[in-house]
Amino acid sequence: MSPELKNTWTPTVNVMTWFMLVTAILSVLTRLGTKYFIFRKWTFDDGLAAASLVFCIAQSISVSVAAENGLGQHVEMLSDRKIESVMKAEYSATILFIASICFSKLSLLVFIRNLTPASLDRRFALVLGILIGLWTIASILTAIFQCNLPQTWNYLRGTCFRRSAWWNYLGVTNILSEGGIIGQALLVIVRIQTDFSRKAGLSSVFLIRVVVIIAIIFQLAYASQTSKGDFTYDVWAVAVSTQVAQSVSIVTACSPQFKPFLDSLQSTGMGLGITSSNNDGSKHKTYGMTTFKTFRRTADTRSETHELVSVPNEETNQTMVTSAPDGDAESQSSRANIIMETRTWTVTEGWTN
């Protein structure tokens, strides 16, 4: 066996990169197919998951290019041109990884936000989403300008900041945001009025996200051990753990929208905050713990509690009495956390000659 084929991790990097990419693609396609099959529409969080997949594909291509040029091989086996290609590909892969994992976080966060109408939970999701957005912008900008211009990618010969400290910052803040997402999901599920076994089943879907945290911890540990001397060989473990973290992040963001979990949501009276139109022209919106119904009207688009809404009819006069959600949905009282049922009464007055 030639020396080039000994002590190399290039095949491992290639296999893991494409395997994790295929897994992410299948997860997103399954999510989109399930969502369309059940609801005949896609929502904003589906678009975020698709965006995460696009960045994941681009990132995986960058890692594959780096492997083709020698990532996973000892640096003394590589020419200067290949070493430069590895650094450029690694540089772009890092930026694309941050973008991909950002959109997968936001996709899951929007999904969790749609499970509850409680204003406090929704505000927390908004704040967490803003923090994730700021983290993404800061991380991408620092990754882009890690070294002096014009060769910002050349961390081997250029003047750069401490890359080990930057990886520590990226990993720790990444883990904290993951913990926030998992924590909010568990808080929403705990307040569901159902038995413990069903709560445990729903919680397990979100607790799988812990695998992302574990992969990030490995990424952190290996990144701190990467040296400048034989960096093309030492960085293989960072590349593999990064691919795992990225793919698992997408898979766990999609898994709550697979059909078994959606069936469990429906059995507990929960929904996805999806608005659909009924045959009578009304709009029906289902949240996590309350079902709301709002009727179209030309004069006033917001109904008051127990408001009488007139419905024209040629032979009968009908009056619809409905309980509007506006006050309860925005309040922070205990009623906002109770599974509620919307009932509609029809009062029909017959006319005789």
Side-chain angles (χ1 to χ4, degrees), residues 306-322:
H306 300 296
E307 181 179 0
L308 300 179
V309 182
S310 178
V311 180
N313 190 287
E314 293 180 356
E315 298 181 357
T316 62
N317 290 337
Q318 293 183 336
T319 303
M320 307 297 292
V321 183
T322 182

Side-chain angles (χ1 to χ4, degrees), residues 9-28:
W9 289 101
T10 299
T12 302
V13 173
N14 261 326
V15 170
M16 287 299 298
T17 297
W18 291 108
F19 172 77
M20 301 311 295
L21 176 60
V22 170
T23 303
I25 292 174
L26 292 177
S27 298
V28 174

Side-chain angles (χ1 to χ4, degrees), residues 73-339:
Q73 300 179 27
H74 292 287
V75 68
E76 63 266 16
M77 300 178 180
L78 306 176
S79 63
D80 290 341
R81 184 188 61 81
K82 286 197 170 186
I83 292 175
E84 182 176 307
S85 298
V86 169
M87 288 191 292
K88 287 180 178 178
E90 184 186 355
Y91 174 79
S92 60
T94 301
I95 297 171
L96 293 168
F97 162 76
I98 297 171
S100 176
I101 206 166
C102 164
F103 281 105
S104 65
K105 288 174 188 284
L106 294 178
S107 175
L108 182 58
L109 187 62
V110 171
F111 172 79
I112 297 170
R113 180 181 181 271
N114 287 338
L115 291 179
T116 173
S119 58
L120 185 60
D121 289 335
R122 295 169 77 86
R123 290 193 189 104
F124 179 79
L126 178 61
V127 171
L128 187 55
I130 292 173
L131 291 177
I132 291 174
L134 294 175
W135 168 81
T136 303
I137 294 172
S139 300
I140 289 179
L141 287 177
T142 51
I144 291 175
F145 299 105
Q146 59 182 285
C147 299
N148 290 343
L149 294 171
Q151 295 185 339
T152 55
W153 45 266
N154 194 344
Y155 61 85
L156 187 63
R157 299 182 180 88
T159 303
C160 312
F161 56 61
R162 288 182 57 197
R163 298 183 75 249
S164 59
W166 181 82
W167 276 107
N168 289 333
Y169 149 78
L170 183 70
V172 171
T173 51
N174 204 353
I175 291 172
L176 290 176
S177 63
E178 291 291 343
I181 295 173
I182 296 173
Q184 188 190 20
L186 296 181
L187 286 175
V188 170
I189 292 174
V190 163
R191 295 200 298 272
I192 300 174
Q193 303 299 314
T194 186
D195 56 88
F196 176 78
S197 60
R198 188 161 292 174
K199 287 183 180 180
L202 294 174
S203 300
S204 63
V205 177
F206 295 101
L207 286 174
I208 296 176
R209 189 86 181 176
V210 174
V211 178
V212 181
I213 296 178
I214 296 173
I216 295 171
I217 291 174
F218 277 101
Q219 182 191 48
L220 256 174
Y222 290 127
S224 62
Q225 297 174 5
T226 303
S227 62
K228 282 189 175 183
D230 199 7
F231 76 98
T232 56
Y233 180 83
D234 295 335
V235 80
W236 76 268
V238 180
V240 170
S241 56
T242 299
Q243 300 313 109
V244 173
Q246 179 178 245
S247 177
V248 173
S249 179
I250 294 175
V251 172
T252 53
C254 293
S255 58
Q257 304 215 38
F258 294 161
K259 194 173 187 303
F261 185 78
L262 293 179
D263 291 340
S264 298
L265 283 180
Q266 293 177 352
S267 67
T268 58
M270 300 187 73
L272 303 179
I274 297 178
T275 302
S276 59
S277 298
N278 296 329
N279 294 330
D280 58 357
S282 62
K283 286 186 176 181
H284 186 272
K285 191 167 187 176
T286 304
Y287 286 90
M289 292 177 243
T290 312
T291 301
F292 304 142
K293 197 169 189 178
T294 304
F295 290 90
R296 289 181 179 173
R297 293 180 297 159
T298 57
D300 186 7
T301 58
R302 296 176 64 86
S303 59
E304 300 296 329
T305 303
H306 300 296
E307 181 179 0
L308 300 179
V309 182
S310 178
V311 180
N313 190 287
E314 293 180 356
E315 298 181 357
T316 62
N317 290 337
Q318 293 183 336
T319 303
M320 307 297 292
V321 183
T322 182
S323 177
D326 298 337
D328 289 341
E330 293 302 326
S331 67
Q332 298 181 20
S333 63
S334 59
R335 291 189 63 190
N337 299 327
I338 300 175
I339 298 177

